[in-house]
Amino acid sequence: METRIAVTAIIVEDRSKSGELNSLLHDYGEYIVGRMGVPYRERGVSVISVILDAPQEIISALSGKLGMLEGVSSKTVYSRLPENRE
C-alpha cells in the first residue's frame, strides 16, 4: 500500500471540542507517527501538530473530519517525497 508523510496543524479554539478531537485522533492512531500539543493559555487556544504516514485517502479523510469540527481549524501539508511502496 502506498503511503505519504504529512503534517496536520490543528488550532483548537473551543476547548469543549477536545474530547471529539482526541477521539478522532485515536481512531487514526495507527497512522500517527508523532503528536505534539501546546496550550497557549494567553490566547485561550491549543496548537497541535500531528505527523502522519498513511495512504492519501486516510489523510484526506482525517483532514475532512477535522474540518467539520466547529471551533477547530486545521491544515495539512504533504511531503514532496515519493510515496512509500510497502
Side-chain angles (χ1 to χ4, degrees):
M1 179 183 304
E2 297 178 3
T3 65
R4 297 197 59 192
I5 296 172
V7 177
T8 299
I10 304 166
I11 298 177
V12 182
E13 298 163 347
D14 181 355
R15 293 189 62 174
S16 71
K17 299 296 181 178
S18 295
E20 289 178 67
L21 173 63
N22 284 322
S23 178
L24 187 55
L25 293 177
H26 176 77
D27 291 344
Y28 287 84
E30 67 184 281
Y31 303 106
I32 295 176
V33 175
R35 170 182 171 177
M36 179 181 67
V38 178
Y40 189 3
R41 290 179 185 88
E42 292 83 10
R43 297 295 296 260
V45 299
S46 294
V47 180
I48 303 167
S49 62
V50 179
I51 302 165
L52 301 155
D53 187 357
Q56 175 72 46
E57 303 81 40
I58 298 293
I59 297 169
S60 295
L62 175 58
S63 294
K65 291 176 183 177
L66 289 168
M68 291 189 285
L69 289 176
E70 188 135 348
V72 175
S73 302
S74 68
K75 187 73 173 182
T76 300
V77 178
Y78 294 88
S79 168
R80 293 182 190 208
L81 294 173
E83 294 183 0
N84 179 30
R85 299 178 193 275
E86 292 183 22

